[in-house]
Amino acid sequence: MGFFSFLFGNKTNKIKEFTDRGAIILDVRSKAEYDSGAIPGSKHIPLQQVQAKINQIKQWDKPVITCCASGMRSGSAAAILRSNGVEVMNGGGWQSLSGKL
């Protein structure tokens, strides 16, 4: 186990654990970004709308993996969801996440 894996956990293992439990991939990029390419089967809710759609997201009753272009917006979305009781992890950039799925 590498030093960073020791500090932060192995993201690939956590992604696998979440997906094994039926996790929903939530892409929080803009509509134009999402329309230009996204993970097949992912849900799209732009970051600015995440707070307003908490109840809808909670109804999924599944863990959530957030993603965006680089991981910044998905980190913000994950924090919003976590503070509202949703089991969530920041999957980072969608292209990198796609390679780990």
Side-chain angles (χ1 to χ4, degrees):
M1 180 183 296
F3 179 69
F4 288 106
S5 292
F6 174 75
L7 286 178
F8 303 111
N10 186 319
K11 188 181 244 184
T12 303
N13 287 348
K14 190 169 182 182
I15 290 168
K16 179 170 178 7
E17 176 207 329
F18 268 51
T19 56
D20 285 351
R21 294 178 24 230
I24 303 290
I25 308 298
L26 176 61
D27 194 315
V28 298
R29 296 176 295 152
S30 71
K31 180 174 178 3
E33 287 175 299
Y34 185 80
D35 289 347
S36 71
I39 295 172
S42 63
K43 306 265 187 196
H44 177 241
I45 300 174
L47 175 60
Q48 298 83 351
Q49 297 175 18
V50 169
Q51 183 70 49
K53 299 203 176 195
I54 289 291
N55 288 335
Q56 174 188 335
I57 295 166
K58 283 183 168 185
Q59 287 176 355
W60 297 342
D61 199 28
K62 300 219 183 263
V64 175
I65 302 173
T66 58
C67 66
C68 63
S70 68
M72 294 298 292
R73 287 174 285 180
S74 58
S76 296
I80 292 166
L81 294 172
R82 192 172 296 111
S83 72
N84 282 277
V86 175
E87 183 179 8
V88 62
M89 71 169 287
N90 178 4
W94 76 273
Q95 289 175 316
S96 173
L97 176 59
S98 181
K100 293 175 178 141
L101 294 173

